[in-house]
Amino acid sequence: GESAADFVAKATSSEMARIYRPLSAEPARPRGDIGPAIFFCPVGLAPNGAPALCRLRLHPCAGFSDTMPLRREAAAARSTIIVLLFWRVPHGDIAVATSTIVDWKVRMAELRHLPVPFRPHTVVLAFDADEEQASMIQEFVEEHAPVVQSSTSFIIADEDVAAESLRGLADEAIASHAKVMSFRWSKSELVQKGCCAMM
């Protein structure tokens, strides 16, 4: 819902976003703009010892008619992360929590329709959920595994925590991609070394 646009606006105006945004990159976007945005974050060290940066294109799906950026290409799927977002839901408001999870279930239909090799990395990020809401989220994650690979909860919902959650997702996706590539290379008769650069 609209919380996706708010989350993107918060993350892209965070201190991390300001520090790592290249001078040539587009400026932070106004709060009302719900189109794709770019977010840069550190993800370890490059071979030369300098901080490595990851560029995330954030594509908020704020309305029912907004489609997820899904493509039927394995390489595109490996570089896509779908975030089911629980952001700024008031404590005790089970109606809004239920509505959020119903929206997720609609999105799950889109994901389940894709063949397994084309399914993107899918996670739940929950911010400031109360105990009952957290239980509802956990039930959803268990019901939709293995399409939903993980769920992470944060106690605070502010711009710096939003940015840090995106950095964590980038690390998780890079590690997951590296594990898949390592498995594929070890199963291959031709072992290739040093041929892959993560960006």
Side-chain angles (χ1 to χ4, degrees), residues 2 5 12 27 30 36 38 53 60-61 63 76 78 84 108 120 124 127 130-131 133 144 165 174 181 184 187 199:
E2 290 181 14
T12 56
I38 304 296
L53 289 180
C61 295
R78 284 192 305 270
L84 303 173
M108 291 306 299
V124 171
F127 296 84
D130 67 27
E131 191 173 323
Q133 293 167 342
H144 294 283
S165 72
I174 289 168
M181 296 309 292
R184 287 186 180 154
K187 299 294 270 183
M199 295 192 188

Side-chain angles (χ1 to χ4, degrees), residues 108 112 116 119-120 122 141-150:
M108 291 306 299
R112 286 191 186 282
V116 173
R119 288 183 187 163
T122 303
V141 170
E142 290 171 3
E143 180 183 339
H144 294 283
V147 177
V148 176
Q149 286 94 359
S150 69

Side-chain angles (χ1 to χ4, degrees), residues 71-173:
R71 296 186 13 219
R72 290 184 175 263
E73 299 171 10
R78 284 192 305 270
S79 65
T80 301
I81 304 169
I82 300 297
V83 176
L84 303 173
L85 190 61
F86 194 87
W87 174 259
R88 302 270 166 111
V89 175
H91 284 193
D93 195 335
I94 298 306
V96 174
T98 300
S99 175
T100 299
I101 292 172
V102 166
D103 288 347
W104 295 352
K105 289 180 179 180
V106 170
R107 299 300 180 171
M108 291 306 299
E110 291 179 69
L111 293 169
R112 286 191 186 282
H113 183 70
L114 289 170
V116 173
F118 305 140
R119 288 183 187 163
H121 188 76
T122 303
V123 301
V124 171
L125 291 183
F127 296 84
D128 195 27
D130 67 27
E131 191 173 323
E132 189 172 0
Q133 293 167 342
S135 176
M136 294 169 68
I137 293 165
Q138 186 57 37
E139 184 179 316
F140 169 85
V141 170
E142 290 171 3
E143 180 183 339
H144 294 283
V147 177
V148 176
Q149 286 94 359
S150 69
S151 173
T152 306
S153 295
F154 300 90
I155 297 171
I156 300 171
D158 68 16
E159 64 186 28
D160 293 324
V161 175
E164 187 58 36
S165 72
L166 292 176
R167 190 203 56 76
L169 280 179
D171 286 341
E172 184 180 323

